[in-house]
Amino acid sequence: MSTTVTQHETRAAARVFVHGVVQGVGFRPFVHRLALRWHLAGWIRNASGDVQIHVEGAPGDIAAFVHGLEAEAPPLAQIDEVRNEPRPPGNLTTFTILESRREEGRRQPVSPDVALCAACEEELFDPANRRYRYPFITCTDCGPRYTVIDAMPYDRERTSMRKFTQCDACRREYETPGDRRYHSETNSCPACGPHLWSAPPDPLAIPDSEHALQSTAELLKAGKIVAIRGLGGFHLAADATNEQTIARLRARKDREAKPFAVMVRTLAEARSLAFVSDREAQLLESRERPIVLLRKRPGSSLAHWVAPALDTVGVMLAYTPLHHLLCDMVRRPLVMTSGNRSEEPIAIGNEDAQRVLAEIADAFLLHDREIVARYDDSVVRVAEESTVFLRRARGYAPLPLKLPLASPRPLVAVGPHLKNTFTLVHGADAYVSQHIGDLENLETLDHWRAAFDAYRRLFRLEPEVAVRDLHPGYMSTRIAGDLGLERIIAVQHHHAHVAAVLAEHGFTDRAIGIAFDGTGLGDDGNIWGAEFFEADLGTYRRLGQLRYARMPGGDLAAREPWRAALGYLALDPDAPHAFTYVLDAVNYNVRNVALQQISRRLNAPYASSMGRLFDAAGAVLGVSLDNQFEGQTAMLLESLAGTRRAQPLPFPMVPGSSGSWLLDPVPLLIALGELRTKGIGIPELAARFHESIAAGADELAALLAADCGLGTVVLSGGCFQNARLLVSLRARLESRGLHVLIPRRLSPNDGAISYGQAAVAAALLHRERSQP
Ligand SMILES: [Zn+2]
Ligand SMILES: [Zn+2]
Ligand SMILES: [Zn+2]
């Protein structure tokens, strides 16, 4: 019997369907190589919902091939499912890549943008390489994806690279199996790809990318502010060691105190500015390249005005080839802050940016690869080995999250008022948008609509149900109504916070949910923000809260911490001796108006907000009377507290109405004020304040867990961006043997609200269906 005959007798074929992030990640070239290794003929194609493969050959080889699909997948791929079906073998003799196929009603994840890979970085600085110093170098392992993709399946004609036709050299790479750029849809080179130019043009320079880069580097070194078009929008760049430049940037951007992020090229440079733990180093160098909040190194070259009064600074490593080239030329840390006017979304178009940033930037570095999606830098910090998201965008969105209870109907959760994201849901897949911003102006509203349309198009999703916050007046509530869907579900803000954490952990049982937050409308019409729930995905019962105080001036209280302090003072007529700093510092007439608002209950809503309690403590301690940006006082208190050990002050638990419990902050604020007048240091008191909150919350949560017979506690809400509070409370609860769930893949802050809203609505719809 000859070998050929044996092979013929055992020849088999299979159709393999791979679902997950498998387009735009070098998957087709990888599969091609794998098929050749196992002597298989067949084909592969991208389709709207998956990657489809046909292989023919020996059964053992096919099995090895299918195993290799998952075991050896390229670094950027994320495989959710591999399904294979036997097929009758044809008579194929080669393995080919077929045209992509569009299929109605099918969807798949889209890869986020990825930082420059090591191989491309090497070529970028190799004088012998044809892409030496080419600012748009990419390969199948790196570069823009989400920000250039119009629609799926992923092919050049559906990206903003379509207008650049590959030259012969590039096309050869694109067509050569085994080449790193085989089927790289963003492939280009200096001869055929996008290019840079500066505005205003330098009359003495040759108008090409290299000269544009050089003049930008010179301007930055000379202390100028340059608006640079990047991946997902413009950055405003400036020399982070130049005090005057950074002060000028603040003045022009009308941004007095909110910290700026800094970019450097190497980990070593990051270490010269800040302390970097192993975990932080990993994040800095990860392909997602987020801004990582690090503890400043005293005496570093950073200008004071980069992050005034804070002990932390946000640092990121260069992630595009353009950044690498610029950082290499300037050799100084650069402030890289969003190219926008205060409160507006980041600018993405050349003309748009030159108009909007005209008063801020001295010059522009522009390019001609259109930005399809606005995409801010992501921001994270590390709290004892746990990554805490402060903003989730570039590198992470639009990768989907799962919902533990699938929604029987497609839905959109429109998200909160501030730090908005939205979430589109199909079944158990939740597509959480990148950070959109505060829905307080028309520009951000336009950004919302554009991003929503892009998600619907990319994921081919038409929602039937809208999910919104309880608050009737929010812009997001109006958006939900304007969508014209047959059904709208309203979800309480802090239930959404708790549900977001439950859902990302796949937890469907009941738990004790703690939400420590700024502001959200409660179902009693008051402002909530320090809540203890017994909750699951679909329901909640409020069992504890911070004692209510009236906030004179309503929303103004979030900007002026002394207002919250007065609200608490009004609860105890014997307390003024502890509030002397506030009483002395605030103008008598202004203060009186506020006190009258409280006593007459005029524009002085009840609030149980942990954010406002941090504000009140900051005011009592004399740390801050004024918030330049959301959460500033809390950040100052955390910075002051540092890591020093401290004992808690009294923060007693008292019975409230109908069996619930209150945490009473008045004794705590009085103790802080009294100790301050005795001359105890502010850092010591800031630390004791943090420990008081953690100890009080721990005691109440433990009591409620015991009462309800539950062993799991959820920590959620914007206050848990505070690493000290998160770490201390988690440690206290865990030392009691309680299981603690914290936000991991989404932020503790309102960036997670839309996903939480989606989780609640999906659970409700799920229950309706199972209990008709
Ligand atoms: Zn690369
Ligand atoms: Zn080329
Ligand atoms: Zn919130």
Side-chain angles (χ1 to χ4, degrees):
M1 211 193 311
S2 83
T3 322
T4 329
V5 175
T6 312
Q7 269 182 356
H8 183 76
E9 279 175 352
T10 57
R11 192 170 169 88
R15 190 65 57 86
V16 189
F17 304 88
V18 190
H19 199 265
V21 184
V22 285
Q23 294 187 24
V25 295
F27 199 72
R28 286 176 299 180
F30 152 71
V31 169
H32 189 273
R33 284 194 301 274
L34 195 65
L36 294 189
R37 193 201 308 162
W38 295 106
H39 318 290
L40 301 176
W43 48 257
I44 176 170
R45 72 173 162 224
N46 282 346
S48 300
D50 51 16
V51 163
Q52 302 169 356
I53 306 165
H54 178 89
V55 280
E56 299 188 9
D61 289 343
I62 291 179
F65 168 85
V66 172
H67 175 76
L69 282 180
E70 281 195 83
E72 301 171 39
L76 303 185
Q78 274 185 39
I79 295 180
D80 294 338
E81 190 192 7
V82 177
R83 202 157 48 81
N84 84 72
E85 297 166 0
R87 288 285 151 103
N91 286 315
L92 299 178
T93 52
T94 56
F95 194 90
T96 48
I97 294 184
L98 299 186
E99 288 278 302
S100 299
R101 173 188 276 196
R102 303 194 72 175
E103 297 165 320
E104 285 312 308
R106 308 219 39 214
R107 64 196 55 78
Q108 64 172 307
V110 172
S111 171
D113 291 22
V114 182
L116 186 73
C117 74
C120 286
E121 186 181 340
E122 215 176 292
E123 292 176 354
L124 182 65
F125 289 99
D126 173 7
N129 192 282
R130 72 186 188 92
R131 290 192 180 83
Y132 177 55
R133 302 186 66 78
Y134 174 52
F136 300 92
I137 185 171
T138 70
C139 71
T140 50
D141 292 334
C142 73
R145 295 292 186 275
Y146 173 57
T147 57
V148 296
I149 296 177
D150 278 319
M152 294 296 270
Y154 179 60
D155 283 305
R156 194 179 185 102
E157 73 208 48
R158 283 179 286 274
T159 72
S160 62
M161 286 300 291
R162 82 178 75 84
K163 73 174 187 186
F164 304 100
T165 306
Q166 292 186 78
C167 66
D168 290 346
C170 286
R171 175 147 295 276
R172 255 196 311 282
E173 295 166 335
Y174 184 88
E175 288 170 352
T176 305
D179 194 286
R180 206 168 85 249
R181 297 190 172 88
Y182 181 47
H183 274 269
S184 168
E185 305 297 348
T186 50
N187 196 28
S188 67
C189 75
C192 66
H195 74 288
L196 294 173
W197 68 95
S198 43
D202 178 350
L204 299 177
I206 307 161
D208 65 10
S209 291
E210 183 60 28
H211 287 88
L213 269 173
Q214 269 172 15
S215 67
T216 300
E218 292 310 320
L219 287 170
L220 289 171
K221 283 198 261 189
K224 301 293 184 193
I225 298 164
V226 186
I228 298 177
R229 196 181 201 198
L231 275 182
F234 276 79
H235 277 124
L236 288 160
D239 178 356
T241 67
N242 187 328
E243 206 68 77
Q244 283 174 341
T245 298
I246 305 306
R248 196 162 63 242
L249 177 58
R250 286 204 175 278
R252 290 189 190 169
K253 234 191 150 196
D254 193 18
R255 173 158 153 166
E256 219 167 297
K258 195 174 179 184
F260 288 135
V262 169
M263 176 179 279
V264 290
R265 198 175 153 219
T266 64
L267 188 57
E269 289 168 274
R271 288 191 197 281
S272 76
L273 304 178
F275 298 99
V276 184
S277 72
D278 291 350
R279 178 78 194 112
E280 288 162 342
Q282 247 174 30
L283 282 162
L284 282 170
E285 292 193 301
S286 68
R287 60 177 184 245
E288 291 86 4
R289 294 277 157 115
I291 295 169
V292 184
L293 215 55
L294 302 171
R295 200 154 56 82
K296 278 181 190 164
R297 191 181 283 279
S300 86
S301 60
L302 279 188
H304 164 79
W305 283 109
V306 170
L310 297 176
D311 69 343
T312 53
V313 60
V315 178
M316 64 182 143
L317 298 191
Y319 55 86
T320 67
L322 189 157
H323 295 149
H324 279 270
L325 293 168
L326 258 189
C327 288
D328 183 58
M329 287 190 273
V330 179
R331 301 272 166 141
R332 284 174 215 167
L334 293 174
V335 158
M336 281 289 213
T337 187
S338 305
N340 58 357
R341 280 190 301 224
S342 173
E343 315 300 327
E344 288 182 6
I346 187 167
I348 55 175
N350 288 336
E351 282 85 55
D352 182 37
Q354 289 181 90
R355 184 177 51 79
V356 172
L357 304 176
E359 312 281 297
I360 305 177
D362 298 306
F364 291 81
L365 182 61
L366 306 170
H367 66 68
D368 53 356
R369 184 181 66 204
E370 289 314 307
I371 297 172
V372 177
R374 234 182 212 108
Y375 209 35
D376 291 87
D377 293 316
S378 293
V379 188
V380 302
R381 72 183 304 183
V382 173
E384 270 191 354
E385 298 303 302
S386 305
T387 305
V388 180
F389 275 90
L390 307 185
R391 183 165 75 197
R392 178 182 178 271
R394 179 179 53 75
Y396 303 95
L399 288 180
L401 275 73
K402 287 287 171 197
L403 288 176
L405 296 178
S407 175
R409 301 172 72 185
L411 59 86
V412 56
V414 299
H417 182 56
L418 300 176
K419 295 190 165 65
N420 182 280
T421 63
F422 60 82
T423 296
L424 273 165
V425 171
H426 184 271
D429 290 324
Y431 299 90
V432 184
S433 77
Q434 71 271 32
H435 167 82
I436 303 284
D438 300 347
L439 295 178
E440 294 194 304
N441 53 55
L442 280 178
E443 289 79 6
T444 315
L445 188 63
D446 288 344
H447 177 16
W448 195 99
R449 296 217 164 98
F452 177 61
D453 287 341
Y455 269 61
R456 276 198 309 190
R457 191 174 65 238
L458 277 178
F459 302 116
R460 295 151 176 259
L461 256 163
E462 281 310 322
E464 295 169 9
V465 178
V467 193
R468 65 158 173 91
D469 191 80
L470 282 187
H471 200 297
Y474 282 169
M475 180 107 79
S476 55
T477 297
R478 201 166 352 132
I479 291 175
D482 289 349
L483 293 173
L485 303 179
E486 60 181 83
R487 177 138 183 222
I488 299 180
I489 296 173
V491 174
Q492 200 278 323
H493 184 90
H494 302 98
H495 186 212
H497 268 305
V498 171
V501 181
L502 289 170
E504 71 154 305
H505 287 272
F507 196 89
T508 52
D509 288 339
R510 290 176 308 136
I512 299 299
I514 301 179
F516 282 175
D517 203 25
T519 299
L521 182 63
D523 57 24
D524 60 359
N526 295 319
I527 295 171
W528 291 8
E531 313 307 317
F532 293 76
F533 293 160
E534 181 197 14
D536 59 17
L537 290 170
T539 59
Y540 69 94
R541 209 153 57 94
R542 191 191 198 199
L543 302 178
Q545 63 169 98
L546 191 67
R547 183 181 172 194
Y548 277 134
R550 289 195 177 274
M551 295 294 138
D555 290 346
L556 262 187
R559 262 173 276 155
E560 299 177 351
W562 60 267
R563 291 177 182 272
L566 288 192
Y568 287 111
L569 172 59
L571 295 176
D572 184 349
D574 299 327
H577 67 286
F579 286 69
T580 49
Y581 179 82
V582 182
L583 295 172
D584 291 348
V586 180
N587 173 290
Y588 175 83
N589 291 325
V590 175
R591 196 177 82 204
N592 255 2
V593 171
L595 288 171
Q596 281 182 21
Q597 284 175 321
I598 295 173
S599 59
R600 295 185 185 168
R601 304 175 179 190
L602 284 171
N603 192 22
Y606 268 137
S608 63
S609 160
M610 186 53 72
R612 295 302 79 75
L613 179 55
F614 268 84
D615 284 347
V620 165
L621 290 176
V623 168
S624 155
L625 291 171
D626 196 21
N627 277 337
Q628 306 281 340
F629 56 92
E630 203 207 351
Q632 184 185 13
T633 301
M635 282 173 75
L636 290 171
L637 287 174
E638 188 190 356
S639 270
L640 285 164
T643 51
R644 65 171 52 69
R645 294 173 73 87
Q647 289 304 312
L649 295 162
F651 185 30
M653 213 159 61
V654 293
S657 58
S658 59
S660 72
W661 290 89
L662 307 177
L663 282 168
D664 185 0
V666 177
L668 172 55
L669 292 170
I670 290 176
L672 285 177
E674 287 175 346
L675 290 169
R676 182 179 172 273
T677 35
K678 282 186 192 151
I680 308 290
I682 307 280
E684 162 79 14
L685 294 176
R688 295 191 72 176
F689 174 72
H690 277 82
E691 292 317 298
S692 313
I693 303 298
D698 164 55
E699 259 181 64
L700 180 49
L703 175 106
L704 297 174
D707 277 359
C708 301
L710 298 173
T712 300
V713 179
V714 168
L715 305 185
S716 71
C719 296
F720 289 108
Q721 295 172 99
N722 182 320
R724 174 158 189 150
L725 179 63
L726 177 75
V727 167
S728 175
L729 178 52
R730 178 171 64 177
R732 287 167 192 271
L733 293 163
E734 283 178 345
S735 73
R736 295 176 184 269
L738 288 163
H739 179 48
V740 181
L741 301 178
I742 65 168
R744 286 191 181 281
R745 301 190 59 194
L746 293 175
S747 175
N749 71 31
D750 285 4
I753 286 290
S754 66
Y755 173 71
Q757 291 172 337
V760 172
L764 294 175
L765 294 169
H766 185 88
R767 198 178 54 197
E768 281 173 17
R769 172 166 283 196
S770 50
Q771 304 169 344

